[in-house]
């Protein structure tokens, strides 16, 4: 089943296929700026990119996935200086935190994760080419700018109106760009190399134009072409990156290599909103994974909640959506358990499928898979999975059908990156015996309609830092 997703450049939904047959499908995604914990908006974007990769792999396509770490820019330098820590130690700490969150959210690690600061000579080499071929110029203070008017098709990706393109003051999500002020020939020109300033402290590197550091955009052009070739298959990022970041990446890459088709497919996802407003520190509605875990959510419920809308629409995140996600996962687990039973198996046998092996058995889950292949319609896919569950757990299912159903469920869950039974196993591992006993007694009291005893036991649980989440057919103990 070919996978089709929207391409910003052609403004159409296109089939994903490597441009060179028999080579891996080559993907570059703009990674995090490591100056603090990534927020759940960032993860919405990384999660849909993860699903795109997983879907290709389930379809039997080998993928080469590169995602960079932005560890040298205005934000990382400013914040490390403010904390009096070296840039290296500062960004290492936040890179480590990012990796821990990615693991908790079950994001597949990219095949290559290049750090910008470790690739400065590569960036300098690309800037040198642009200066040599007349697409960039050096200013009196030793900075280098890209000459936008030298790139005739500049603007082809973002389709923004000419005024926005001329100023680079706002990005494609409408937010202000916090780019520095420069001595440039035209306001549209952007920095490739920034000469050393006192505020940079010890963070400067040598170049043919003097000491300084790379501009905001060049790292992605230099590292993507280095690891994937001058032209590759797909480039991803949140919608705010479409303009100016990706537009500038196209200009830098195509003007330095002379190739006119840097990337075949541009994949942008819309932003996450919170309670109907843009997520921002100033509104106090910015959540990290740890914030949500502290509220009792499991990482799988967070993953589910962040995926449950179409990537081409803004998603409005609410805390209630986490409860809905936990309930949906629980329902999926119950269905999967029944299906495993039909196959003579238990949940311990429920392993991820072997991907990259053409396995065409989807059983009743074939329409869920078709829905996912159709522009990564995750919400529709989840709907199809839930409508398939009563069919696959019905009494009249044959042995062959049950086997295909189980194969289909395993593959669709792998494609969505949803791990079942994880919370249960983890909870069982970590719950102290005294808490488990109180939980059992409370549930028994509640079943016996002895609500006074149930309340007292609830308070005792709370005193130990635990709470019980009750469902129709059982309960789950969670840390408060
Ligand atoms: P950054 O760490 O700011 O470089 O961003 C990492 C990724 O997160 C980029 O692809 C951004 O476009 C994306 N991103 C930033 N804010 C949001 C948001 N609110 N919703 C979805 N994606 C976002
Ligand atoms: Zn980038």
């Amino acid at each position: 089943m070919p996978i089709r997703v929207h391409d910003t450049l052609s403004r159409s939904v296109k089939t994903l296929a490597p441009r060179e047959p028999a080579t891996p499908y080559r993907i570059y995604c703009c990674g995090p700026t490591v100056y603090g914990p990534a927020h759940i908006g960032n993860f919405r974007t990384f999660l849909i990119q993860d699903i795109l990769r997983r879907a290709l792999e389930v379809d039997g396509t080998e993928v080469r996935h590169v995602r960079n770490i932005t560890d040298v820019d205005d934000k990382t330098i400013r914040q490390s200086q403010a904390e009096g820590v070296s840039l290296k130690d500062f960004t290492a700490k936040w890179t480590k935190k990012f990796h821990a969150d990615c693991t908790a959210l079950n994001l597949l690690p990219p095949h290559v994760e290049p750090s910008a600061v470790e690739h400065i000579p590569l960036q300098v080499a690309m800037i040198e080419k642009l200066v040599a071929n007349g697409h960039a110029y050096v200013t009196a203070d030793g900075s280098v700018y890209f000459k936008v008017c030298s790139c005739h098709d500049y603007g082809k990706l973002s389709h923004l109106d000419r005024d926005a393109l001329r100023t680079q003051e706002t990005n494609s999500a409408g937010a202000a760009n916090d780019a520095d002020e420069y001595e440039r020939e035209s306001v549209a020109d952007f920095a490739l190399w920034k000469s050393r300033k006192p505020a940079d402290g010890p963070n400067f590197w040598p170049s043919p134009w003097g000491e300084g550091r790379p501009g905001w955009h060049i790292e992605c052009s230099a590292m993507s072409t280095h690891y994937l070739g001058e032209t590759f298959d797909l480039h991803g990022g949140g919608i705010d990156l479409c303009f100016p970041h990706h537009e500038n990446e196209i200009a830098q890459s195509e003007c330095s290599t002379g190739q006119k088709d840097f990337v075949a497919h541009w994949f942008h996802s819309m932003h996450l909103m919170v309670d109907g407003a843009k997520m921002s520190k100033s509104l106090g509605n910015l959540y990290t994974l740890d914030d949500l875990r502290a509220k009792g959510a499991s990482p799988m419920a967070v993953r589910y909640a962040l995926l449950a809308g179409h990537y081409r629409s803004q998603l409005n995140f609410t805390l209630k959506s986490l409860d809905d996600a936990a309930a949906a996962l629980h329902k999926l687990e119950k269905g999967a358990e029944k299906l495993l039973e039909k196959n003579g198996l238990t949940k311990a046998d429920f392993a991820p499928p072997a991907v990259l092996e053409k396995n065409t058995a989807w059983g009743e889950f074939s329409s869920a898979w078709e829905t996912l292949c159709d522009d990564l319609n995750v919400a529709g896919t989840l709907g199809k999975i839930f409508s398939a569950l009563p069919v696959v757990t019905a009494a009249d299912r044959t042995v062959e059908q049950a086997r295909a159903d189980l194969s289909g469920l395993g593959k669709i869950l792998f494609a969505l990156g949803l791990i079942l039974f994880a919370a249960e196993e983890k909870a069982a591992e970590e719950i102290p015996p005294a808490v488990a006993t109180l939980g059992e007694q409370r549930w028994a009291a509640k079943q016996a309609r002895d609500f006074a005893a149930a309340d007292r036991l609830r308070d005792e649980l709370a005193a130990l830092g635990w709470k019980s989440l009750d469902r129709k057919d059982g309960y789950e103990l969670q840390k408060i």
Side-chain angles (χ1 to χ4, degrees), residues 53 66-67 95 110 130 156 180 208 228-229 263 294 360 373 375 390 436:
R53 168 176 164 188
V66 179
R67 188 181 63 214
T95 303
L130 291 167
K156 65 183 172 186
D180 298 341
L228 295 174
V263 168
T360 50
C373 293
D375 201 14

Side-chain angles (χ1 to χ4, degrees), residues 79 100 129 140 149 181 187 207 211 297 312-313 358 408 412 414 418 442:
Q79 197 56 32
K129 273 197 199 166
C149 68
E181 274 310 308
V187 279
S207 84
E211 287 165 341
R312 281 212 272 151
S313 307
K358 279 269 180 200
I412 198 75
F414 175 83
L418 294 175
R442 186 187 156 276

Side-chain angles (χ1 to χ4, degrees), residues 125-161:
M126 188 175 253
I127 302 172
E128 278 187 285
K129 273 197 199 166
L130 291 167
V131 173
N133 65 18
H135 288 291
Y137 57 91
V138 186
T139 56
D141 73 340
S143 294
V144 185
Y145 291 92
F146 187 90
K147 198 179 178 72
V148 166
C149 68
S150 75
C151 181
H152 300 299
D153 51 3
Y154 186 86
K156 65 183 172 186
L157 176 70
S158 43
H159 315 278
L160 290 180
D161 66 59

